[in-house]
Amino acid sequence: MKPWKTMLAGALSVSMLAACGGNDGADGGADGEADPDEVSGEITVWGWNVAAASMEIAIEGFQEEYPDVDVTVEDIGREDLYDRLTVGLAAGGSGLPDVTMVETDRLDNYIAEFPDGFVNLSEYGFDEHEDKFAESKIETMKNNDGDFVAAPWDIGPAGVFYNIPLFEEAGVNPDDIETWDDYIAAGETILEETEAQMLPVDISADDNLFRMMLNLQGTYYFDEDGNINLHNEEGQQALSTIKEMREKDLVANADGWDGTVTATVNNQVATVPFGVWYAGTIMDQAPEQEGEWGVFKLPAFEEGGNRDANLGGSDLTVINGSDNEQAAYAFVEYFTTDSDAQVNALSEYGIFPSLLEAYDDPFFEEEDEYFNNEPIWSLFADISEGVLPANYTSDYARALRYSSDAQANALLQDADPAEALREAADMIANETQRDINE
Amino acid sequence: MNQSTAESKKKSKRKFITPKTAPYIFIAPAVILFIIFTVYPVVQSLILSFQTSSGGVSTFAGLDNYRRLFNDPLFYKALGNTFTILIIQVPIMLTIAVLLAVLMNSALLKMRAFFRIAFFMPAITALVAYAIVFMIMLDENYGLVNYALSLVGIDPIAWLNDPFWAKVSLIVAVTWRWTGYNMVIFLAGLQNISNDLYEAASIDGAGKIRQFFSITLPQLKPIFLFTFVLSTIGTLQLFDEPFILTGGGPNNSTLTISLYLYINGFRYFDFNYASAIAYILVIIIALLSWFQMKVVGDKDD
Amino acid sequence: MTNNKNKTTTILKKIGLYTLLGIGVFLSMFPFYWMFIGATNPSGAIFSMPPNLVPGDHFFENLRNLNENVGIWRVIMNSLIITLTFTVVSVMICSAAGFAFAKYQFKGRDPIFFMLLLAIMIPYHVTLIPLFELMANVGWLNTYQAVILPHLAYPFAIFLMRQNMRSIPNSLLEAARVDGAGEMRIFFTVVLPTMRPALAAVAIFLFMFQWNNFLWPLVVLGDSSMYTLPVALSSLVGMSRIDYGQIMLGTTLSTLPIMVFFLLLQRQFISGILGGSVKE
């Protein structure tokens, strides 16, 4: 390496205080299945609030199988986790945990930039679990060689959370909403009768509704070959629909996450189309609204069309350079493929599994008291099985940004949706050298 | 004089520390720390700015990143936004700060310590809470600010979701955070202006307002330069407010240079390009600071 | 008659003065009051409409939860240890350097000083990764010194000290030399005592900087038992669930030490800031 750097480092450590802390644990072996009793050591896992908590409660079950592995879960803020992960990987893998969660849509980005950053889970035999997960999830976990670099954890089947009192007051039946046209018509009625708007949209910073709409139509920013596709027919239809809602005054312009929550808990929006994980947010921030929220599927773009889409989701990766890869893999494998661990994460913290086996658990038949005694979990399980796959690609972050710009352009500055999207597509093409679908 | 030189010469035989070596010893800790923890990382990132990388492999690329920068419309947009905010925000903030300082300096005022700390508080808030509080207060539909405006019959304003108002919001937020800080600096300056000057002016029949312009402002000139340069650097590096309040939106209308740097490095993982942005920014700041010193005329340096 | 009139104008002036400053204080302090309201209420209350402006009774519950989640006392200890050590050492280092730049002629003085000033202009994100690599190489990740060391030579503080020390008359230093005092002794017994206001001012800036320092401690302190206050508070902001009550309470707590520090030193602070720069 750079000799003078090493010298400098040596001089520093001699002249100053010795480091405290340090790494621990024995070296695990390399590949193949290992006898659980022979795996030992200490591992550290990174995650953010509810996700970290749900891994924490799985440790006990894990240690029944692997009694000699100690697991420490570090609870880190979401953006903070990414900043730390990025700095650590860019510095060649220092200061990182053994296992970390990464959101699925950001995974490609990390793998492309840091191909040696993560352990190839296929070498440990993760391929045997391939059939256990929702199909739309599996492809996103693999690198270009078809190997698993992450283990699938949660997914975000999307639905429309709706405010029951507002719907009743306006005399709208949620079961009648099957297409976006129905949705807009219902929104107009509700606006007229109750003065509540139909949905919150963080127009300038987040395009999640647009993404759900793309996914409904079986596409995303990029197509399955990685070509830019957000400006095509599907994208135009999605953005035009959002613009129409905005023009009819159905959209509450919410500022960021806090704005969306404010809108939700103040009975000022009749619906919130979001991923399943939003259920936990509503329960936390508006405990007094128990029984006032229900869920129905996203509307389709045409009568009888697809109503299943996904928003968000995450997975677990093992960091290359972990002192204890074997134990780290053991935890990842246990946590993502153990039905009890996954059901607990859902029932305690609202994190929805991609592990199909979990859906057979009786919990999914339960009616949720908060959500008006509807069996919302089986509804979401049903949605997850129909979700069409999305190709996020290594340029997801750029696409997300330019797509949000296009949304702001169309909704706030009255640009034509087709032109705004085309502009975004050109910007992405210019910076990524990807082809544009014509 | 002779005696003291002889004395110190005699001492230099016994002593390691002499007036000749002393300055080096005094600056040594700072300089050593500075070289290790500032110069070294800066050189490293400077090297990065002359490379490109793909899939973890870096190659020398000469000035490619800089060339790309000069053809990047978003960079120009960020530059434009940053300067717009600079030109509007800094004068507003410094004006308010001076006026507040003059009021605070009034002989009629009691409880000065309370007022000082009250105005200084915004500069010491933790960023997390600052972000949440301002997001919720500025929300278009349910924010406290629009609620207050509605009480006096003003229609809601899209504080963070309109290209114009989003800039205004940033300016308001930055002004909220740093005005008190600057006011405290000005206040210190005011207290150093000799009362004799004002008394002489009073005898000559100059009113309070004329005194302000003919005595106070000229006397404060060095402080103005000091705060002006500091605020300029701070604003050109503006990151926190756009990052937490607008994310640079809507449609990049609040994208600043530092935020663009962060997005390229930490979102797109293009550390090479991010480094190039950083060093162009350093050059801009250095030129501007030099220019300000020349124009305002700092006699000290 | 004129006396009365004077009295009335004085009272009017007073009313005007307090009204203007009152408005300023209101604008400046309101977000803090609101934070305090948030700190004493359950999480969702911050969103209520019309806004809730009355303190609630959840203070102790929020405190208990906050302590359970981040170990608030431990975190405050970490912050205090790091910030106080940093402030004391940095004040020494920066005043020594400032003294040399202000009062000695030596080779390389101006270029070195210029380099230091240039450092103020570098955006901090860009040095993050090399600095982290350096700390990793010496095995200092997750230590106090990793947070303390990098900014000890704080250019703004050196600059401020230099400005202030220029006002020390040369004759004073010469007289001490004639008396046979060594350079070190002059610095400690002659220079530093006269510089108390400037030292207080610099100390406040340094304290404030390190107390609120966020990004660097975040990346370099991996272990949650080492977290400083801003890092711990930020860890409460997760994905779908945020406990606003705890965050507001944590923030309220985190401003207290700076307030105390400011109140203790503010008298000196006022005269210290201007220092040499005011003298014409």
Side-chain angles (χ1 to χ4, degrees), chain A residues 242-281:
Chain A
I242 302 173
K243 191 173 178 180
E244 187 188 342
M245 293 195 265
R246 166 83 172 164
E247 280 163 355
K248 293 186 169 159
D249 199 27
L250 304 182
V251 171
N253 196 353
D255 294 324
W257 176 258
D258 301 327
T260 307
V261 176
T262 317
T264 311
V265 304
N266 279 301
N267 296 316
Q268 312 243 8
V269 287
T271 74
V272 186
F274 238 152
V276 54
W277 31 264
Y278 200 61
T281 311

Side-chain angles (χ1 to χ4, degrees), chain B residues 281-294:
Chain B
L281 180 58
V282 170
I283 292 173
I284 294 172
I285 295 176
L287 285 177
L288 207 65
S289 305
W290 178 78
F291 182 71
Q292 285 172 339
M293 304 245 195
K294 280 284 162 255

Side-chain angles (χ1 to χ4, degrees), chain A residues 19 49 80 258 266 281 284-285, chain C residues 43 47 139 222 234 240-242 244:
Chain A
N49 59 2
D80 297 352
D258 301 327
N266 279 301
T281 311
D284 275 6
Q285 308 297 348
Chain C
S43 177
F47 297 113
S234 182
S240 55
R241 292 184 178 184
I242 300 174
Y244 294 92

Side-chain angles (χ1 to χ4, degrees), chain C residues 156-219:
Chain C
F156 175 63
I158 296 174
F159 176 73
L160 214 62
M161 288 315 297
R162 169 184 174 267
Q163 295 303 90
N164 279 285
M165 292 192 169
R166 292 171 125 204
S167 62
I168 302 175
N170 283 331
S171 52
L172 191 69
L173 305 177
E174 276 310 319
R177 282 189 192 117
V178 170
D179 287 347
E183 300 302 308
M184 277 292 160
R185 228 182 93 198
I186 291 176
F187 176 64
F188 282 106
T189 60
V190 179
V191 175
L192 285 190
T194 62
M195 281 289 115
R196 223 179 272 150
L199 293 173
V202 167
I204 286 198
F205 280 118
L206 293 168
F207 189 94
M208 202 172 112
F209 160 77
Q210 190 63 278
W211 188 261
N212 283 338
N213 195 3
F214 171 65
L215 198 57
W216 176 243
L218 170 74
V219 296

Side-chain angles (χ1 to χ4, degrees), chain C residues 227-280:
Chain C
Y227 281 0
T228 58
L229 253 170
V231 177
L233 287 180
S234 182
S235 77
L236 294 172
V237 182
M239 171 85 177
S240 55
R241 292 184 178 184
I242 300 174
D243 191 316
Y244 294 92
Q246 288 179 41
I247 293 178
M248 294 303 148
L249 177 60
T251 311
T252 309
L253 292 179
S254 82
T255 45
L256 290 180
I258 311 190
M259 273 177 72
V260 171
F261 204 75
F262 183 82
L263 284 174
L264 286 176
L265 296 180
Q266 67 155 340
R267 259 182 197 292
Q268 278 88 334
F269 184 35
I270 297 303
S271 38
I273 273 180
L274 21 134
S277 65
V278 161
K279 291 203 113 190
E280 283 270 289

